[in-house]
Amino acid sequence: MAITRHELTRRREQLQDLQRYLAVLEADHDGARAKLLGFRLRYLEALGPLMRELDELETQLHQATALLSEALKRQGVDAPVSAIPRTKAWPDIPALPDATPLPTEPTGPTMDLPPPSLKTLYRRAAMRFHPDLAPSGPEREVCEQRMMVVNEAYANSDRARLEALLLAAGEAPEKVIGGPADAVRAWLGLCEHMVQGRIRVVQAQTALLHNLQMHQLRIAVERAETGGMKPLDIMANRLRAQIGERRQELYIGERVGTDARLAADFLRKRYQRMTGLGLG
């Protein structure tokens, strides 16, 4: 049954509403991502050099303690060594993937075209999906799977499934379900499906941004700054204190090698600091 002009107008308005909602979601996502990128830049400018210095000291300490442990083992003393410290990796803040453009609305004469027969649909699907017409490799494997679906749909006289496969593959709607009115209805349905899919992608990407540790940190820092505090300065001072402790630790570690008891005690204390575990 051909779609009425009133129904076409209503469906177009629904599609426009979906597109406006999508535009709001994309703007919200882009705004949240821009804030997060700006905060990460500010955070790394304030703390990045200190964090890199601390990481370098931890690496030097690990190398020094590994040498101490080997020297003690040669003397018959077993001393623990913590794992290699891992440099903190900052998570990527990905942009939204590019949206697939909506297909052009079909045009044509006002007289409806009769829909093709089931056999014609099957032949068109076979021409599109037959594996013998595809190059070798992954594309051929995909065609084999799709052709199995086509054969099953034809065997079950499942016209709707054949139509959906052809429309998704880019077949002109008027060649699949008739038209032009029916073709416009199919075009609207495809556009609605694509916009709804894009909405789900944007919502998932926005949720991913909000779940990032960097986002939680941004909220906490900005809240503290609103209250008159300087949290980044506080973090920088803590890092400087840790750097001073690691330098002192490295200084001691490089000078206890001649005393097995002091070296073993140094390694146990470092292991406890790195792991939070005590040794009996």
Side-chain angles (χ1 to χ4, degrees):
M1 183 177 66
I3 192 170
T4 65
R5 191 177 298 275
H6 174 75
E7 178 67 11
L8 280 178
T9 301
R10 186 184 67 82
R11 292 286 297 278
R12 282 195 177 94
E13 290 173 350
Q14 287 180 343
L15 177 59
Q16 290 170 356
D17 288 342
L18 277 176
Q19 289 175 303
R20 283 191 286 268
Y21 177 55
L22 172 60
V24 171
L25 292 178
E26 288 180 329
D28 289 345
H29 171 276
D30 292 345
R33 182 172 181 268
K35 287 181 179 179
L36 197 53
L37 288 171
F39 173 76
R40 184 173 71 170
L41 178 61
R42 186 162 70 96
Y43 182 87
L44 292 178
E45 285 177 346
L47 305 178
L50 294 171
M51 290 187 292
R52 286 191 292 272
E53 184 177 356
L54 184 59
D55 286 339
E56 177 61 27
L57 284 170
E58 289 288 7
T59 300
Q60 293 177 30
L61 269 167
H62 177 76
Q63 294 170 350
T65 52
L67 292 174
L68 275 179
S69 178
E70 291 174 4
L72 288 175
K73 285 180 180 178
R74 288 194 294 269
Q75 299 176 44
V77 179
D78 188 20
V81 178
S82 56
I84 299 175
R86 294 182 180 179
T87 301
K88 187 173 183 180
W90 293 101
D92 189 22
I93 305 177
L96 283 172
D98 292 336
T100 302
L102 297 181
T104 305
E105 182 175 353
T107 58
T110 57
M111 181 181 297
D112 283 350
L113 299 173
S117 66
L118 184 68
K119 181 175 287 188
T120 299
L121 287 178
Y122 175 74
R123 287 173 178 170
R124 286 178 179 163
M127 289 295 293
R128 278 191 173 271
F129 303 125
H130 202 287
D132 290 347
L133 302 177
S136 59
E139 187 175 344
R140 186 183 184 91
E141 294 176 3
V142 171
C143 286
E144 289 174 350
Q145 294 173 359
R146 288 181 177 173
M147 196 62 206
M148 290 173 60
V149 176
V150 168
N151 288 331
E152 181 182 356
Y154 182 68
N156 295 327
S157 299
D158 190 348
R159 181 184 184 90
R161 197 169 190 185
L162 286 173
E163 289 176 349
L165 285 168
L166 286 167
L167 289 173
E171 190 75 25
E174 59 267 28
K175 293 183 179 180
V176 178
I177 60 174
D182 284 347
V184 173
R185 176 168 55 187
W187 170 80
L188 285 167
L190 178 60
C191 290
E192 288 170 356
H193 176 74
M194 292 175 67
V195 173
Q196 288 167 347
R198 177 67 174 178
I199 286 173
R200 289 191 291 272
V201 168
V202 176
Q203 289 173 330
Q205 288 289 104
T206 302
L208 177 65
L209 286 183
H210 290 165
N211 288 329
L212 288 175
Q213 185 179 4
M214 180 63 72
H215 172 76
Q216 305 299 327
L217 181 60
R218 179 184 73 82
I219 297 299
V221 166
E222 291 179 355
R223 186 181 295 121
E225 289 174 337
T226 301
M229 299 178 64
K230 296 182 177 179
L232 293 182
D233 289 347
I234 295 172
M235 294 179 192
N237 288 334
R238 288 176 180 171
L239 285 171
R240 292 188 186 98
Q242 291 176 344
I243 288 170
E245 292 170 358
R246 299 304 172 271
R247 284 176 177 166
Q248 183 179 13
E249 193 175 355
L250 182 59
Y251 177 85
I252 295 171
E254 290 174 341
R255 286 160 177 79
V256 297
T258 57
D259 189 314
R261 183 182 61 82
L262 289 178
D265 184 61
F266 172 81
L267 290 176
R268 280 193 290 269
K269 288 180 178 179
R270 174 167 169 77
Y271 180 84
Q272 186 174 12
R273 179 178 69 78
M274 296 294 292
T275 65
L277 301 175
L279 292 171

